[in-house]
């Protein structure tokens, strides 16, 4: 059993979160991890093509959030990147835009809310979807609406692409499994790593030193 004198201010739903984490971990070990492990053994060009294609379908989300955050230059460049990869990259299977100097960005609506001062709120572990926060969880709907997979009429194709994205994403983090499995408290390790990564992304890497005033108090609503 896991006992604590007080719940961390960033994790006021810890009991619920730990139960969801246990469920997600069991499902991952039984189904997702073995499939991702097999997928990771495919030739690198195949995996790169899949990742490029899926990433290109979701890239309108980054473009939208560039503009919502006032990053006009990044927005224009990302429109160009999406166009180049969609045409010259054969629907995004290849990435000629990167070779042309149009670097890939990663933005989502949760980052946009954080950019404009919305506090993250408590940490929240979502069934199947994984780590999130009270701020970020509802933004999944916005991000989903801007993914071109959403508008594919054929359910089998849309569902297949969604499953492929889960496997492809899971394969990219297989290297972290040993560290997580050997941790004294894997749940806490995943939580802290996620919260630090989200702050890093919201701040575009400009994370303050421990002596500076924090951007937000994650424990406040």
């Amino acid at each position: 059993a896991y006992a604590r004198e007080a719940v961390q201010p960033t994790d006021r739903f810890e009991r619920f979160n730990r139960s969801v984490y246990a469920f997600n971990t069991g499902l991952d070990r039984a189904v997702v991890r073995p499939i991702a492990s097999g997928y990771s053994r495919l030739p690198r060009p195949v995996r790169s093509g899949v990742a490029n294609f899926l990433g290109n379908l979701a890239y309108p989300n980054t473009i939208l959030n560039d503009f919502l955050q006032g990053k006009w230059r990044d927005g224009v460049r990302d429109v160009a990147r999406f166009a180049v990869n969609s045409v010259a990259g054969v629907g995004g299977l290849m990435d000629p835009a990167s070779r042309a100097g149009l670097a890939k960005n990663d933005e989502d609506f949760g980052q946009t809310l954080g950019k404009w001062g919305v506090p993250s709120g408590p940490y929240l572990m979502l069934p199947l979807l994984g780590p999130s926060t009270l701020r970020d969880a509802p933004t999944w709907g916005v991000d989903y609406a801007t993914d071109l997979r959403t508008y594919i009429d054929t359910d089998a194709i849309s569902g297949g692409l969604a499953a492929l994205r889960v496997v492809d994403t899971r394969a990219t983090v297989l290297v972290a499994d040993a560290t997580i499995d050997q941790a004294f408290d894997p749940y806490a390790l995943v939580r802290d790593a996620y919260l630090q990564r989200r702050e890093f992304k919201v701040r575009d890497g400009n994370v303050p030193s421990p002596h500076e005033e924090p951007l937000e108090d994650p424990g406040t609503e």
Side-chain angles (χ1 to χ4, degrees):
Y2 183 84
R4 302 187 61 178
E5 294 182 357
V7 176
Q8 290 190 19
T10 56
D11 196 4
R12 66 182 61 174
F13 306 130
E14 184 170 354
R15 179 173 297 181
F16 168 80
N17 287 337
R18 283 185 177 273
S19 65
V20 175
Y21 177 79
F23 168 78
N24 288 350
T25 300
L27 181 63
D28 177 71
R29 290 176 176 173
V31 180
V32 183
R33 185 191 292 190
I35 295 175
S37 180
Y39 174 82
S40 69
R41 290 192 284 272
L42 292 175
R44 183 177 295 274
V46 174
R47 289 183 283 123
S48 295
V50 170
N52 290 339
F53 177 70
L54 295 174
N56 197 61
L57 288 176
Y59 213 62
N61 185 47
T62 288
I63 295 171
L64 171 64
N65 285 287
D66 282 334
F67 290 118
L68 289 176
Q69 293 177 35
K71 298 177 179 178
W72 309 110
R73 182 175 298 179
D74 283 350
V76 171
R77 288 178 176 173
D78 282 333
V79 168
R81 176 184 172 83
F82 177 72
V84 168
N85 280 350
S86 296
V87 178
V90 192
L93 287 171
M94 295 178 288
D95 185 14
S98 291
R99 295 193 295 273
L102 297 169
K104 182 179 181 180
N105 291 308
D106 179 16
E107 304 289 353
D108 56 51
F109 196 59
Q111 292 179 62
T112 296
L113 293 180
K115 168 75 174 181
W116 295 112
V118 178
S120 69
Y123 179 68
L124 189 62
M125 178 65 69
L126 301 176
L128 303 179
L129 297 176
S132 188
T133 63
L134 202 60
R135 176 194 65 205
D136 291 348
T139 68
W140 282 93
V142 178
D143 296 336
Y144 178 77
T146 55
D147 192 319
L148 297 183
R149 289 184 294 112
T150 306
Y151 304 100
I152 297 175
D153 291 335
T154 306
D155 291 340
I157 296 176
S158 180
L161 289 174
L164 186 58
R165 181 158 193 175
V166 169
V167 173
D168 179 71
T169 301
R170 183 64 179 88
T172 64
V173 294
L174 284 171
V175 66
D177 285 355
T179 300
I180 295 172
D181 291 345
Q182 295 170 13
F184 174 75
D185 186 351
Y187 166 83
L189 176 63
V190 171
R191 177 197 62 205
D192 294 347
Y194 173 80
L195 292 175
Q196 290 172 21
R197 178 61 178 164
R198 285 303 288 177
E199 182 180 15
F200 182 89
K201 294 176 75 171
V202 167
R203 291 178 175 272
D204 294 326
N206 299 314
V207 180
S209 71
H211 303 291
E212 292 182 291
E213 188 72 19
L215 175 67
E216 61 189 11
D217 178 7
T220 61
E221 295 181 358

